[in-house]
Amino acid sequence: MAGRQRRYTDDVPDDATDRLRAMCLALPETHEQRAWVGTRWMVRKRTFAHVLGIEFDGDASVAVVSFRSEGEELEVLRRSGHPYLDLGWGRDAMGIVLEDADWSEVAELVTESFCIMAPKMLVALVDRPLDETP
């Protein structure tokens, strides 16, 4: 999907928005807001997840959730290809096409995105898998 012409839309299935809403609003001190297109979830004034439709070269719109990533995970996601895509805005913004996504992976990515964007005192309140590095 890299290099293809993109057009952003509000074309997102209600069930996808509802699932994301439940995930995002379960995190501490988050709120939902209508975005320039689609819906976004924020912690304080920082967006950590954003669902929107993207048309590539005039094809049918696909629902995508954007999230933040960093470090090795960001580099792996950039090289992974479909269903992941580099959105091209912000140094750490990635997206995942929802129709082909594993929702447990989406929940993990959204939670990690929250932890990147949130203050440390809020991150401490989030249940995350233990770091398995020695």
Side-chain angles (χ1 to χ4, degrees):
M1 292 185 196
R4 296 174 65 188
Q5 189 72 6
R6 297 178 186 181
R7 185 173 86 80
Y8 303 106
T9 73
D10 287 314
D11 190 17
V12 177
D14 289 340
D15 64 321
T17 301
D18 292 343
R19 287 181 87 166
L20 285 163
R21 178 177 292 121
M23 282 178 207
C24 293
L25 294 180
L27 296 165
E29 294 189 30
T30 62
H31 63 279
E32 181 176 314
Q33 188 176 74
R34 175 86 181 114
W36 51 277
V37 64
T39 303
R40 66 182 174 184
W41 290 273
M42 302 175 76
V43 55
R44 309 254 168 110
K45 295 182 179 182
R46 303 181 82 192
T47 300
F48 68 91
H50 180 182
V51 67
L52 67 157
I54 303 178
E55 290 178 4
F56 294 95
D57 296 330
D59 291 340
S61 179
V62 294
V64 172
V65 64
S66 75
F67 58 92
R68 302 296 178 151
S69 186
E70 61 186 5
E72 286 183 37
E73 181 179 49
L74 176 60
E75 294 310 314
V76 168
L77 293 172
R78 282 187 173 145
R79 290 190 300 267
S80 292
H82 189 79
Y84 301 99
L85 56 121
D86 190 337
L87 294 171
W89 66 67
R91 63 178 166 61
D92 59 355
M94 291 295 297
I96 185 168
V97 177
L98 291 175
E99 68 185 15
D100 300 319
D102 172 346
W103 279 93
S104 62
E105 176 75 4
V106 171
E108 185 178 313
L109 293 168
V110 164
T111 301
E112 199 57 36
S113 182
F114 171 88
C115 292
I116 291 168
M117 303 305 284
K120 289 180 183 177
M121 63 180 241
L122 295 180
V123 173
L125 301 174
V126 176
D127 287 330
R128 297 166 73 184
L130 294 175
D131 185 2
E132 296 178 13
T133 52

